[in-house]
Amino acid sequence: MTINTPDERIQQPYSRVLLKLSGEQLSGQFDSGIDAEFCAWMAEEVKKVVDSGTQVIIMVGGGNYARGAQLAGHGIRRVTADHIGMLATMMNALALTDIFESCDIRTRCLSNIFAEQVAEPFVHRLANNHLKKGRVVIVAGGIGRPYLTTDTAAVSLALELDCQAVLKATKVDGVYDKDPAKHADAVKVSTISFQDAVTDDAIKVMDTAALGLALEHNLPIIIFDATKADNILLVTQGNAVGTKIH
Ligand code: UDP
């Protein structure tokens, strides 16, 4: 693996970012479902970013309820399993929207699956307008098609909305050259290439489709610990936090 140093991060803040929150993130201290207390804390973290002038769009995962790849089988077709997965992201997006609003953050939930009784449909211009007005946009339903994950949906949406980076929130502080749980001498890397992220088996931060799309369009992805206070703000201000894939 190539470890690129010195770090070459931007020194000025990003003006628009896509924050990817997995279902696992939203379940906080629990094994599944939503940890509302943790989500409220996360809302306050995002508020700092919005108040600093950076526009934020959030793609939520659904793995705390269902993942298509795991659900498929025993008569459940993969397409149906992915539909269920997308509905799981909808549950997270609705809950997170309410929690954000209860924290006085102007927020809109836009859905990429048809569900007009519960959320506005995702429309490019509408999302753009909300963001320009300083509202947080939370996207439900991934990209609305099966055989994809919300990581790939996140990259696709970040490109569609001219985001300068995808911030992938995790519970670890970045990417290591080997599994830190198994190797005491594992070293955190500050930057890695898309090539390494795809080919190095020790690095499993995102699915290949997501990385391939980001690589093709030169969209940086930052893997960082979002459970640490101020980290989201620090990343959006261009500080060296986590690992940057570029
Ligand atoms: N999904 C899908 N299309 C999309 C996004 C998501 O079919 O554009 C489904 C897929 O089954 C996936 C599930 O929704 O497993 C939940 O998303 P994901 O696994 O990415 O959630 P996370 O692991 O981030 O919590």
Side-chain angles (χ1 to χ4, degrees), residues 24-50:
E24 189 194 12
Q25 282 274 315
L26 302 181
S27 63
Q29 59 171 319
F30 305 117
D31 291 336
S32 66
I34 284 190
D35 182 342
E37 202 179 317
F38 173 75
C39 291
W41 178 86
M42 184 65 84
E44 295 297 343
E45 293 297 301
V46 172
K47 192 172 192 205
K48 293 175 196 169
V49 176
V50 176

mmCIF file of all heavy atoms in Angstrom, residues 24-50:
data_model
loop_
_atom_site.group_PDB
_atom_site.id
_atom_site.type_symbol
_atom_site.label_atom_id
_atom_site.label_comp_id
_atom_site.label_asym_id
_atom_site.label_seq_id
_atom_site.Cartn_x
_atom_site.Cartn_y
_atom_site.Cartn_z
ATOM 1 N N GLU A 24 -25.689 1.889 11.266
ATOM 2 C CA GLU A 24 -24.931 1.545 12.474
ATOM 3 C C GLU A 24 -24.622 2.805 13.288
ATOM 4 O O GLU A 24 -24.697 2.803 14.513
ATOM 5 C CB GLU A 24 -23.635 0.825 12.079
ATOM 6 C CG GLU A 24 -22.917 0.249 13.274
ATOM 7 C CD GLU A 24 -21.489 -0.170 12.970
ATOM 8 O OE1 GLU A 24 -20.958 0.170 11.903
ATOM 9 O OE2 GLU A 24 -20.889 -0.822 13.844
ATOM 10 N N GLN A 25 -24.278 3.891 12.594
ATOM 11 C CA GLN A 25 -24.026 5.165 13.286
ATOM 12 C C GLN A 25 -25.275 5.605 14.050
ATOM 13 O O GLN A 25 -25.195 5.984 15.211
ATOM 14 C CB GLN A 25 -23.683 6.252 12.265
ATOM 15 C CG GLN A 25 -22.273 6.204 11.734
ATOM 16 C CD GLN A 25 -21.312 6.948 12.627
ATOM 17 O OE1 GLN A 25 -21.625 8.054 13.050
ATOM 18 N NE2 GLN A 25 -20.191 6.353 12.927
ATOM 19 N N LEU A 26 -26.416 5.548 13.366
ATOM 20 C CA LEU A 26 -27.650 6.067 13.961
ATOM 21 C C LEU A 26 -28.129 5.217 15.136
ATOM 22 O O LEU A 26 -28.853 5.698 16.001
ATOM 23 C CB LEU A 26 -28.756 6.164 12.904
ATOM 24 C CG LEU A 26 -28.435 7.040 11.690
ATOM 25 C CD1 LEU A 26 -29.600 7.084 10.731
ATOM 26 C CD2 LEU A 26 -28.073 8.463 12.116
ATOM 27 N N SER A 27 -27.726 3.936 15.147
ATOM 28 C CA SER A 27 -28.176 3.084 16.257
ATOM 29 C C SER A 27 -27.350 3.340 17.524
ATOM 30 O O SER A 27 -27.702 2.842 18.595
ATOM 31 C CB SER A 27 -28.134 1.604 15.864
ATOM 32 O OG SER A 27 -26.813 1.210 15.589
ATOM 33 N N GLY A 28 -26.267 4.125 17.386
ATOM 34 C CA GLY A 28 -25.494 4.562 18.566
ATOM 35 C C GLY A 28 -25.105 3.433 19.486
ATOM 36 O O GLY A 28 -24.423 2.497 19.085
ATOM 37 N N GLN A 29 -25.602 3.498 20.720
ATOM 38 C CA GLN A 29 -25.208 2.497 21.718
ATOM 39 C C GLN A 29 -26.013 1.198 21.601
ATOM 40 O O GLN A 29 -25.734 0.236 22.313
ATOM 41 C CB GLN A 29 -25.391 3.079 23.120
ATOM 42 C CG GLN A 29 -26.819 3.509 23.399
ATOM 43 C CD GLN A 29 -27.071 3.875 24.848
ATOM 44 O OE1 GLN A 29 -26.599 3.214 25.753
ATOM 45 N NE2 GLN A 29 -27.824 4.947 25.056
ATOM 46 N N PHE A 30 -27.010 1.179 20.687
ATOM 47 C CA PHE A 30 -27.850 -0.021 20.568
ATOM 48 C C PHE A 30 -27.397 -0.909 19.401
ATOM 49 O O PHE A 30 -26.648 -0.473 18.534
ATOM 50 C CB PHE A 30 -29.320 0.381 20.381
ATOM 51 C CG PHE A 30 -29.830 1.291 21.471
ATOM 52 C CD1 PHE A 30 -30.256 2.581 21.177
ATOM 53 C CD2 PHE A 30 -29.871 0.852 22.791
ATOM 54 C CE1 PHE A 30 -30.713 3.434 22.186
ATOM 55 C CE2 PHE A 30 -30.324 1.690 23.799
ATOM 56 C CZ PHE A 30 -30.750 2.992 23.495
ATOM 57 N N ASP A 31 -27.921 -2.147 19.391
ATOM 58 C CA ASP A 31 -27.557 -3.079 18.317
ATOM 59 C C ASP A 31 -28.369 -2.830 17.049
ATOM 60 O O ASP A 31 -27.976 -3.216 15.960
ATOM 61 C CB ASP A 31 -27.767 -4.530 18.768
ATOM 62 C CG ASP A 31 -26.758 -4.923 19.834
ATOM 63 O OD1 ASP A 31 -25.680 -4.294 19.872
ATOM 64 O OD2 ASP A 31 -27.055 -5.829 20.637
ATOM 65 N N SER A 32 -29.534 -2.247 17.195
ATOM 66 C CA SER A 32 -30.361 -1.939 16.018
ATOM 67 C C SER A 32 -31.261 -0.767 16.379
ATOM 68 O O SER A 32 -31.199 -0.241 17.489
ATOM 69 C CB SER A 32 -31.198 -3.155 15.613
ATOM 70 O OG SER A 32 -32.131 -3.429 16.627
ATOM 71 N N GLY A 33 -32.109 -0.355 15.443
ATOM 72 C CA GLY A 33 -33.000 0.776 15.698
ATOM 73 C C GLY A 33 -32.219 2.079 15.802
ATOM 74 O O GLY A 33 -31.054 2.156 15.384
ATOM 75 N N ILE A 34 -32.875 3.083 16.386
ATOM 76 C CA ILE A 34 -32.265 4.413 16.446
ATOM 77 C C ILE A 34 -31.969 4.822 17.887
ATOM 78 O O ILE A 34 -32.797 4.620 18.769
ATOM 79 C CB ILE A 34 -33.217 5.430 15.786
ATOM 80 C CG1 ILE A 34 -33.137 5.265 14.265
ATOM 81 C CG2 ILE A 34 -32.896 6.849 16.188
ATOM 82 C CD1 ILE A 34 -33.825 6.319 13.494
ATOM 83 N N ASP A 35 -30.812 5.394 18.088
ATOM 84 C CA ASP A 35 -30.453 5.967 19.384
ATOM 85 C C ASP A 35 -30.734 7.467 19.285
ATOM 86 O O ASP A 35 -29.910 8.240 18.791
ATOM 87 C CB ASP A 35 -28.958 5.686 19.645
ATOM 88 C CG ASP A 35 -28.490 6.204 20.999
ATOM 89 O OD1 ASP A 35 -29.181 7.063 21.580
ATOM 90 O OD2 ASP A 35 -27.424 5.760 21.464
ATOM 91 N N ALA A 36 -31.940 7.850 19.735
ATOM 92 C CA ALA A 36 -32.395 9.236 19.539
ATOM 93 C C ALA A 36 -31.479 10.237 20.242
ATOM 94 O O ALA A 36 -31.235 11.340 19.738
ATOM 95 C CB ALA A 36 -33.828 9.388 20.031
ATOM 96 N N GLU A 37 -30.958 9.832 21.388
ATOM 97 C CA GLU A 37 -30.080 10.728 22.149
ATOM 98 C C GLU A 37 -28.787 10.992 21.361
ATOM 99 O O GLU A 37 -28.338 12.137 21.227
ATOM 100 C CB GLU A 37 -29.752 10.066 23.487
ATOM 101 C CG GLU A 37 -29.318 11.050 24.549
ATOM 102 C CD GLU A 37 -29.031 10.328 25.868
ATOM 103 O OE1 GLU A 37 -29.814 9.430 26.247
ATOM 104 O OE2 GLU A 37 -28.013 10.659 26.474
ATOM 105 N N PHE A 38 -28.236 9.921 20.806
ATOM 106 C CA PHE A 38 -27.016 10.081 20.005
ATOM 107 C C PHE A 38 -27.309 10.914 18.745
ATOM 108 O O PHE A 38 -26.511 11.771 18.349
ATOM 109 C CB PHE A 38 -26.428 8.718 19.615
ATOM 110 C CG PHE A 38 -25.285 8.845 18.667
ATOM 111 C CD1 PHE A 38 -24.038 9.272 19.122
ATOM 112 C CD2 PHE A 38 -25.446 8.584 17.307
ATOM 113 C CE1 PHE A 38 -22.972 9.437 18.230
ATOM 114 C CE2 PHE A 38 -24.394 8.741 16.422
ATOM 115 C CZ PHE A 38 -23.158 9.167 16.879
ATOM 116 N N CYS A 39 -28.470 10.669 18.130
ATOM 117 C CA CYS A 39 -28.821 11.425 16.909
ATOM 118 C C CYS A 39 -28.982 12.918 17.217
ATOM 119 O O CYS A 39 -28.638 13.766 16.389
ATOM 120 C CB CYS A 39 -30.092 10.862 16.273
ATOM 121 S SG CYS A 39 -29.852 9.232 15.556
ATOM 122 N N ALA A 40 -29.498 13.226 18.397
ATOM 123 C CA ALA A 40 -29.638 14.636 18.788
ATOM 124 C C ALA A 40 -28.248 15.261 18.972
ATOM 125 O O ALA A 40 -28.006 16.419 18.611
ATOM 126 C CB ALA A 40 -30.455 14.753 20.075
ATOM 127 N N TRP A 41 -27.331 14.490 19.512
ATOM 128 C CA TRP A 41 -25.944 14.962 19.652
ATOM 129 C C TRP A 41 -25.344 15.219 18.263
ATOM 130 O O TRP A 41 -24.709 16.239 18.015
ATOM 131 C CB TRP A 41 -25.123 13.913 20.416
ATOM 132 C CG TRP A 41 -23.689 14.285 20.572
ATOM 133 C CD1 TRP A 41 -23.144 15.060 21.549
ATOM 134 C CD2 TRP A 41 -22.608 13.934 19.692
ATOM 135 N NE1 TRP A 41 -21.793 15.212 21.332
ATOM 136 C CE2 TRP A 41 -21.438 14.528 20.204
ATOM 137 C CE3 TRP A 41 -22.526 13.170 18.535
ATOM 138 C CZ2 TRP A 41 -20.195 14.395 19.598
ATOM 139 C CZ3 TRP A 41 -21.280 13.033 17.921
ATOM 140 C CH2 TRP A 41 -20.141 13.632 18.453
ATOM 141 N N MET A 42 -25.623 14.269 17.360
ATOM 142 C CA MET A 42 -25.119 14.393 15.980
ATOM 143 C C MET A 42 -25.720 15.632 15.308
ATOM 144 O O MET A 42 -25.043 16.344 14.560
ATOM 145 C CB MET A 42 -25.486 13.112 15.217
ATOM 146 C CG MET A 42 -24.972 13.036 13.812
ATOM 147 S SD MET A 42 -23.178 12.985 13.726
ATOM 148 C CE MET A 42 -22.840 11.256 13.969
ATOM 149 N N ALA A 43 -26.986 15.893 15.603
ATOM 150 C CA ALA A 43 -27.646 17.075 15.037
ATOM 151 C C ALA A 43 -26.914 18.353 15.468
ATOM 152 O O ALA A 43 -26.682 19.260 14.654
ATOM 153 C CB ALA A 43 -29.107 17.119 15.499
ATOM 154 N N GLU A 44 -26.532 18.407 16.732
ATOM 155 C CA GLU A 44 -25.801 19.586 17.227
ATOM 156 C C GLU A 44 -24.443 19.720 16.540
ATOM 157 O O GLU A 44 -23.969 20.830 16.266
ATOM 158 C CB GLU A 44 -25.603 19.506 18.752
ATOM 159 C CG GLU A 44 -26.893 19.555 19.569
ATOM 160 C CD GLU A 44 -27.669 20.870 19.423
ATOM 161 O OE1 GLU A 44 -27.088 21.871 18.958
ATOM 162 O OE2 GLU A 44 -28.878 20.875 19.753
ATOM 163 N N GLU A 45 -23.829 18.581 16.238
ATOM 164 C CA GLU A 45 -22.549 18.613 15.518
ATOM 165 C C GLU A 45 -22.740 19.161 14.102
ATOM 166 O O GLU A 45 -21.929 19.955 13.613
ATOM 167 C CB GLU A 45 -21.945 17.192 15.461
ATOM 168 C CG GLU A 45 -21.510 16.641 16.800
ATOM 169 C CD GLU A 45 -20.393 17.462 17.418
ATOM 170 O OE1 GLU A 45 -19.335 17.601 16.803
ATOM 171 O OE2 GLU A 45 -20.597 17.989 18.546
ATOM 172 N N VAL A 46 -23.816 18.737 13.460
ATOM 173 C CA VAL A 46 -24.090 19.202 12.093
ATOM 174 C C VAL A 46 -24.464 20.692 12.128
ATOM 175 O O VAL A 46 -24.115 21.455 11.222
ATOM 176 C CB VAL A 46 -25.210 18.346 11.445
ATOM 177 C CG1 VAL A 46 -25.654 18.932 10.113
ATOM 178 C CG2 VAL A 46 -24.731 16.912 11.255
ATOM 179 N N LYS A 47 -25.136 21.095 13.194
ATOM 180 C CA LYS A 47 -25.525 22.500 13.326
ATOM 181 C C LYS A 47 -24.298 23.412 13.305
ATOM 182 O O LYS A 47 -24.304 24.477 12.686
ATOM 183 C CB LYS A 47 -26.304 22.688 14.630
ATOM 184 C CG LYS A 47 -27.001 24.015 14.740
ATOM 185 C CD LYS A 47 -27.893 24.031 15.957
ATOM 186 C CE LYS A 47 -28.786 25.236 15.877
ATOM 187 N NZ LYS A 47 -29.245 25.678 17.150
ATOM 188 N N LYS A 48 -23.247 22.976 13.955
ATOM 189 C CA LYS A 48 -22.004 23.780 13.964
ATOM 190 C C LYS A 48 -21.514 23.986 12.532
ATOM 191 O O LYS A 48 -21.009 25.052 12.175
ATOM 192 C CB LYS A 48 -20.906 23.051 14.755
ATOM 193 C CG LYS A 48 -21.167 22.916 16.239
ATOM 194 C CD LYS A 48 -20.058 22.064 16.889
ATOM 195 C CE LYS A 48 -20.468 21.563 18.265
ATOM 196 N NZ LYS A 48 -19.555 20.557 18.811
ATOM 197 N N VAL A 49 -21.650 22.952 11.724
ATOM 198 C CA VAL A 49 -21.178 23.017 10.338
ATOM 199 C C VAL A 49 -22.047 23.989 9.531
ATOM 200 O O VAL A 49 -21.540 24.850 8.806
ATOM 201 C CB VAL A 49 -21.211 21.601 9.703
ATOM 202 C CG1 VAL A 49 -20.812 21.653 8.244
ATOM 203 C CG2 VAL A 49 -20.308 20.655 10.474
ATOM 204 N N VAL A 50 -23.355 23.849 9.678
ATOM 205 C CA VAL A 50 -24.279 24.722 8.946
ATOM 206 C C VAL A 50 -24.060 26.176 9.380
ATOM 207 O O VAL A 50 -24.007 27.081 8.539
ATOM 208 C CB VAL A 50 -25.745 24.283 9.195
ATOM 209 C CG1 VAL A 50 -26.718 25.240 8.526
ATOM 210 C CG2 VAL A 50 -25.961 22.860 8.689
#
